Amino acid sequence: MNNPTPRLMIILLTLLLAMVLLSGYLRNAEAREVFNPHALEIDNPGQPVADLSTFAESGGQLPGTYRVTVFVNGEKQGDAQDIAFTDGAEKKLSPQITPAMLKAWGVKTDVFPALAALPPDQPLDDIGRYIPMATTDLRFSKLQLNVSIPQAALSTAARGWVDPSEWDEGVPAALLNYNLSGSNTWRDGENGSDDNYYANLQSGINLGAWRLRNYSTWNYDEDNGSHWDSVNTYLQRDIQRLKGQLTLGDSYTPSDIFDSVQFRGAQLASDDNMLPDSLRGFAPVIRGIAQSNAQVTIKQNGYIIYQSYVAPGAFTISDLYPTSGSGDLEVTIKEADGSERTFIQPFSAVPIMQREGRLKYAITAGKYRSGNDDSDEPQFGQVTAIYGLPHAITVYGGTLYSDDYQSGAAGLGFGLGELGSLSADITAAHTTLNNGDSHNGQSYRVQYSKDFQTTDTSFTLAAYRYSTAGFYTFQESNDLRADSDEGWQMTYNKRQRLQLDLSQSIGSYGSFFISGYQQDYWQEDGYERTLSAGWNGNIDGISYSVTWSYSDYPDSTQPADQQLAFNIQVPLSRFMPNAWASYSVNTAKHGDTRQQVGLNGTTLADNNLSYSLQQSYTNHGVGGSGNINADYKGGQGEITGGYNYDDDTQQVNYGDRKSVV
């Protein structure tokens, strides 16, 4: 075959090129389907047609104001808000974000000069012009605006932080929380009857930025008659610029560095929380064993802060309202026969630690207050400060001054990573007692805490303290008097103090706890010592517990008190919904052994009503006893009632707890 001529080759190449170009055009034409808006004129010739080109693009929408939810780097920024949108590139809407919005979202607007120079309400067509690499994306189907901001441009405020300018002082209101309890006891023979009543009142008034609060207790018994205590009365308001609170009236000093003391005066202190009053600060769990239907009374700094009634066996109290940041709790168990047992529950804090850059402070001036009638009450001033340094280090210190007492303290706290946290400090004090004797001394303290999450272990060495013979706390210097005959607690200063708490969960098998406390005093033999240990378990829905307690005191005429209690609960769901049977036995080393069977449960639509019926028998000729108790929790409060008896005694107890606004 002859070779094609050059002219023919040119013609063929031209035709081939034309086909390639035509096919590409056709493909593009097929990939883009365009609606001809003039088709809308078929029925209405000459009628103006709306511009629908915006909707021809994916995600296209008309400009305007839309209520959208804003997310900055995936974190929601409050409730939905109205934001104006204008036409942007590629027919996409561009949000009209202002510098004020960016600041509210945590952007450090002051570090970008061009942005800082704009008025707060100036709309920004493109935030990427002012903040490099910042972008926005509107998800119209969800009405969600996603804003991407480089992390370096964001402030390091904690999650959930609210700008102080948006804080609300609240509305005017009058508040009253009360807890009333009482009992009426009838005894055979010459002992006659015994009536006991207790009231715990927490009232207040909110007006503008000021809050007036009062915490009062009232107690009545046959032996001591009626007694009313106004524990605290104070006027308080926030000082936003100082991130603190101003308190005027009766309150208490912080317990971080020095022991907390009650005062009447003024205090400016940083505010660490916004929790309800009943949940502010640390409150220990009180564990004990009652030999009978008993009354439990708890005192702190001479004031009765809690009173309730418990059935025989082991009990736990975890809803305390402490009056101050520290001050050991005196727990008294009054049995049905009138006998009393008392032990001390230590009340101290965990290691002193602060976040990096965080300052915690307190400045106090006023008059010392004591629950002891014969205590001195001098004027004093106190300053404390705690500051968080880099590398999980905390530095803290303080000073306290009065005419007859001066002290200073300094310490360090360390975050040890996986090993927990530890703080150590030293306090030096110069004391002049009321008999004219002067003393100088030092006190050394170490605190340690660690939660082992992998093993579900909580270990706390809440405090180990050693004090020299010449060291007195401010409270001791005022409560210890040369002419006092109130016993060892009013006579000697503390030497060593150790507190240990350990709890361990063993998976589905149960958990155990150990809680111990020991303290001794200068020029006094023996130890003030309490120790409790227990195990809680569950097998196929059957729960059980074993609890042991020990307590002893210096120069006590009675042997150390030891109690052992066992309890088992068996569900009765096959016969009675939300009900279970119980059996318990508790024995005292130098006392009686009591066995008890019972029926417990809850009823009503929301299980608002709980009840218990128990019958017991005690050896050594004590005989049988029984009790019935009920607790109703409604929308307006809580009501409790009970009846118990033994061979010689009958008692009715009742209580009412309510909040009124």
Side-chain angles (χ1 to χ4, degrees):
M1 183 177 181
N2 295 331
N3 293 330
T5 63
R7 177 177 290 184
L8 181 61
M9 290 291 295
I10 294 173
I11 294 173
L12 291 174
L13 291 173
T14 303
L15 291 174
L16 180 62
L17 179 61
M19 293 176 63
V20 171
L21 294 175
L22 181 61
S23 64
Y25 173 79
L26 292 174
R27 281 198 301 267
N28 289 336
E30 292 176 354
R32 181 178 178 86
E33 297 180 356
V34 179
F35 174 76
N36 185 4
H38 294 287
L40 300 175
E41 300 182 17
I42 295 176
D43 295 330
N44 298 285
Q47 182 73 23
V49 178
D51 184 7
L52 303 178
S53 60
T54 298
F55 304 100
E57 301 291 338
S58 177
Q61 294 291 336
L62 289 176
T65 300
Y66 297 98
R67 179 169 289 270
V68 297
T69 303
V70 180
F71 287 79
V72 176
N73 295 348
E75 184 174 344
K76 184 179 179 181
Q77 304 297 311
D79 298 330
Q81 53 188 299
D82 293 329
I83 295 181
F85 291 82
T86 61
D87 283 327
E90 300 180 357
K91 299 291 184 179
K92 293 185 177 181
L93 295 183
S94 175
Q96 299 293 282
I97 297 175
T98 65
M101 293 178 182
L102 293 173
K103 187 176 181 179
W105 298 339
V107 177
K108 296 184 290 187
T109 57
D110 55 334
V111 302
F112 301 97
L115 187 60
L118 297 176
D121 57 350
Q122 174 68 45
L124 309 178
D125 293 329
D126 182 10
I127 62 174
R129 293 174 51 192
Y130 302 91
I131 305 174
M133 302 184 68
T135 60
T136 61
D137 179 36
L138 174 64
R139 302 291 177 87
F140 193 85
S141 61
K142 298 181 179 180
L143 288 178
Q144 176 177 314
L145 178 63
N146 296 319
V147 183
S148 177
I149 304 288
Q151 195 64 35
L154 296 174
S155 61
T156 57
R159 182 174 297 181
W161 177 83
V162 178
D163 192 290
S165 62
E166 299 181 10
W167 290 358
D168 192 346
E169 295 176 347
V171 298
L175 316 170
L176 174 62
N177 298 330
Y178 67 84
N179 185 357
L180 308 176
S181 63
S183 67
N184 306 107
T185 307
W186 299 271
R187 298 185 177 91
D188 296 338
E190 299 179 356
N191 294 326
S193 62
D194 183 12
D195 299 328
N196 187 288
Y197 307 102
Y198 174 74
N200 186 311
L201 306 176
Q202 301 155 39
S203 58
I205 297 175
N206 297 346
L207 187 61
W210 293 93
R211 299 175 293 278
L212 178 64
R213 295 290 186 269
N214 175 263
Y215 179 27
S216 299
T217 64
W218 175 78
N219 185 73
Y220 171 86
D221 60 55
E222 295 286 344
D223 297 330
N224 301 308
S226 179
H227 189 70
W228 180 274
D229 286 315
S230 181
V231 182
N232 288 321
T233 301
Y234 59 87
L235 190 65
Q236 191 176 70
R237 66 159 298 157
D238 294 331
I239 308 296
Q240 295 184 8
R241 186 171 298 178
L242 301 177
K243 297 181 179 179
Q245 288 184 332
L246 174 65
T247 303
L248 306 175
D250 300 338
S251 189
Y252 51 85
T253 61
S255 61
D256 308 279
I257 300 174
F258 299 109
D259 287 349
S260 178
V261 297
Q262 299 189 99
F263 71 90
R264 176 169 293 170
Q267 178 174 271
L268 178 63
S270 54
D271 182 18
D272 280 349
N273 62 76
M274 295 293 177
L275 295 176
D277 288 349
S278 61
L279 298 178
R280 291 186 179 181
F282 168 77
V285 176
I286 307 297
R287 294 184 175 92
I289 300 175
Q291 298 178 350
S292 63
N293 298 290
Q295 178 191 77
V296 179
T297 302
I298 301 175
K299 290 184 177 181
Q300 185 184 43
N301 298 325
Y303 298 106
I304 298 176
I305 64 170
Y306 185 92
Q307 190 174 92
S308 185
Y309 300 88
V310 299
F315 64 85
T316 300
I317 298 172
S318 58
D319 58 344
L320 288 178
Y321 181 95
T323 66
S324 63
S326 69
D328 293 342
L329 304 176
E330 181 182 312
V331 184
T332 300
I333 304 174
K334 185 177 182 180
E335 304 289 352
D337 60 0
S339 61
E340 295 184 358
R341 291 179 290 113
T342 300
F343 64 91
I344 301 298
Q345 172 68 50
F347 188 12
S348 57
V350 295
I352 300 175
M353 297 292 297
Q354 282 292 307
R355 295 176 182 264
E356 180 178 341
R358 165 70 172 152
L359 174 64
K360 183 178 181 180
Y361 67 90
I363 305 171
T364 307
K367 178 181 178 181
Y368 172 72
R369 295 175 66 232
S370 174
N372 302 316
D373 295 334
D374 58 350
S375 175
D376 293 333
E377 295 187 338
Q379 303 285 339
F380 76 99
Q382 177 178 300
V383 178
T384 60
I386 308 171
Y387 186 75
L389 298 174
H391 309 295
I393 298 175
T394 299
V395 60
Y396 57 93
T399 183
L400 191 156
Y401 180 87
S402 72
D403 289 342
D404 296 325
Y405 185 89
Q406 302 87 41
S407 68
L412 291 172
F414 303 91
L416 306 178
E418 296 182 355
L419 298 179
S421 58
L422 178 142
S423 65
D425 54 66
I426 178 174
T427 304
H430 172 76
T431 307
T432 303
L433 299 178
N434 70 326
N435 62 356
D437 292 343
S438 295
H439 300 269
N440 294 290
Q442 300 81 40
S443 181
Y444 307 89
R445 180 178 63 168
V446 177
Q447 300 181 109
Y448 174 80
S449 179
K450 168 63 180 173
D451 287 333
F452 300 89
Q453 296 183 357
T454 56
T455 60
D456 200 15
T457 302
S458 177
F459 174 78
T460 303
L461 178 61
Y464 172 74
R465 182 187 287 276
Y466 175 80
S467 304
T468 63
F471 179 83
Y472 293 83
T473 67
F474 186 51
Q475 181 175 352
E476 288 173 339
S477 71
N478 294 300
D479 291 351
L480 305 183
R481 302 183 62 85
D483 58 350
S484 176
D485 58 356
E486 297 296 326
W488 63 272
Q489 289 183 329
M490 298 285 292
T491 306
Y492 305 108
N493 55 318
K494 300 179 181 68
R495 180 167 56 184
Q496 294 188 88
R497 176 189 177 105
L498 174 66
Q499 181 182 340
L500 172 67
D501 291 289
L502 174 67
S503 62
Q504 175 67 63
S505 175
I506 313 295
S508 60
Y509 296 100
S511 62
F512 71 86
F513 70 88
I514 300 176
S515 180
Y517 159 73
Q518 178 176 288
Q519 184 165 272
D520 61 340
Y521 296 77
W522 286 102
Q523 301 168 359
E524 179 74 15
D525 295 330
Y527 294 93
E528 176 186 339
R529 183 181 292 157
T530 62
L531 180 64
S532 62
W535 173 271
N536 301 284
N538 190 293
I539 301 176
D540 295 330
I542 300 175
S543 59
Y544 63 94
S545 64
V546 181
T547 306
W548 173 79
S549 68
Y550 172 93
S551 61
D552 193 18
Y553 298 94
D555 288 345
S556 175
T557 59
Q558 302 294 327
D561 181 59
Q562 296 190 59
Q563 303 265 342
L564 179 65
F566 171 78
N567 178 267
I568 185 171
Q569 295 181 338
V570 180
L572 302 176
S573 54
R574 291 185 178 181
F575 313 99
M576 301 174 61
N578 302 317
W580 57 92
S582 64
Y583 169 79
S584 65
V585 56
N586 54 279
T587 181
K589 184 176 181 179
H590 303 285
D592 303 323
T593 297
R594 177 185 292 261
Q595 299 185 69
Q596 182 172 267
V597 295
L599 174 66
N600 310 268
T602 60
T603 185
L604 301 183
D606 298 320
N607 294 317
N608 300 78
L609 178 64
S610 59
Y611 61 88
S612 68
L613 298 89
Q614 298 175 332
Q615 180 66 36
S616 61
Y617 178 81
T618 307
N619 63 354
H620 296 161
V622 177
S625 63
N627 64 81
I628 179 173
N629 297 279
D631 185 334
Y632 177 78
K633 297 179 180 179
Q636 302 298 320
E638 180 178 0
I639 300 175
T640 62
Y643 168 78
N644 58 77
Y645 69 93
D646 57 29
D647 290 347
D648 303 318
T649 307
Q650 297 184 66
Q651 183 185 75
V652 176
N653 59 77
Y654 34 83
D656 182 20
R657 180 182 300 178
K658 186 176 294 185
S659 298
V660 181
V661 180

